[in-house]
């Protein structure tokens, strides 16, 4: 039980760290935040794996990857980001949520950057549709811009 509580606390910490990192990346503190996140790959991966496994918190895995999209792009950690996105999206619940939209944005942006295959347009179109459904105008604008690329 103690180990389970510790892993859940770790997952919560990493999720909060990812959300905070996103806020810092968009507010102009990109260089410092990227430098600090480079050392967190093991923690990020362990938390994401726990969320998708024993932790049974797939929404938190979506939050982590969606929040770290700018980091993956700024640092060039595309393989790491792609792997985390694929895992999170494979176990995502069927609900079409804001967190699913964030993870699809991440997958689409990474796809545009590393291999711009036809599937990328499908992912980004789904992203736009979900953003419209959840009524998040900022996500809808971001998704539409990515789709236009």
């Amino acid at each position: 039980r103690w180990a389970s509580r510790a892993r859940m606390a770790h997952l919560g910490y990493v999720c909060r760290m990812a959300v905070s990192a996103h806020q810092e990346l968009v507010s102009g503190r990109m260089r410092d935040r990227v430098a600090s996140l480079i050392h967190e790959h093991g923690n990020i991966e362990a938390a994401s794996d726990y969320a998708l496994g024993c932790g049974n918190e797939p929404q938190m895995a979506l939050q982590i990857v969606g929040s770290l999209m700018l980091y993956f792009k700024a640092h060039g950690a595309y393989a790491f980001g792609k792997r985390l996105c694929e895992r999170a999206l494979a176990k995502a619940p069927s609900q079409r949520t804001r967190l699913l939209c964030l993870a699809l944005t991440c997958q689409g942006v990474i796809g545009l950057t590393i291999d711009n295959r036809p599937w990328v347009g499908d992912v980004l179109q789904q992203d736009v549709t979900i953003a419209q459904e959840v009524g998040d105008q900022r996500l809808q604008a971001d998704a539409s811009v990515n789709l236009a690329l």
Side-chain angles (χ1 to χ4, degrees):
R1 277 195 175 212
W2 180 87
S4 178
R5 286 194 304 264
R7 292 195 66 173
M8 188 56 89
H10 179 256
L11 172 58
Y13 167 78
V14 170
C15 197
R16 289 187 303 277
M17 177 184 67
V19 170
S20 172
H22 175 78
Q23 293 166 348
E24 289 181 26
L25 289 168
V26 298
S27 70
R29 293 184 293 239
M30 186 171 285
R31 182 173 291 149
D32 293 337
R33 197 51 160 156
V34 166
S36 71
L37 286 171
I38 290 169
H39 305 288
E40 297 292 344
H41 285 205
N43 282 321
I44 293 165
E45 188 149 24
S48 182
D49 287 348
Y50 181 73
L52 296 170
C54 297
N56 196 28
E57 293 287 347
Q59 295 287 350
M60 291 179 87
L62 295 173
Q63 178 76 63
I64 291 168
V65 297
S67 296
L68 293 176
M69 183 267 299
L70 291 175
Y71 165 71
F72 298 139
K73 188 165 170 109
H75 179 58
Y78 301 119
F80 181 52
K82 181 179 180 188
R83 183 172 68 247
L84 293 179
C85 278
E86 287 172 349
R87 289 179 189 168
L89 289 167
K91 295 219 176 168
S94 60
Q95 302 115 327
R96 295 162 70 86
T97 64
R98 181 179 183 282
L99 296 179
L100 177 60
C101 192
L102 288 171
L104 288 170
T105 298
C106 185
Q107 184 182 45
V109 167
I110 289 172
L112 281 173
T113 305
I114 62 175
D115 61 6
N116 201 5
R117 306 242 191 242
W119 65 265
V120 174
D122 295 339
V123 167
L124 292 172
Q125 183 58 59
Q126 182 181 12
D127 191 21
V128 169
T129 302
I130 294 171
Q132 290 170 338
E133 290 171 8
V134 299
D136 190 317
Q137 292 180 342
R138 174 62 190 247
L139 282 179
Q140 187 178 348
D142 289 347
S144 296
V145 166
N146 291 323
L147 183 59
L149 296 174

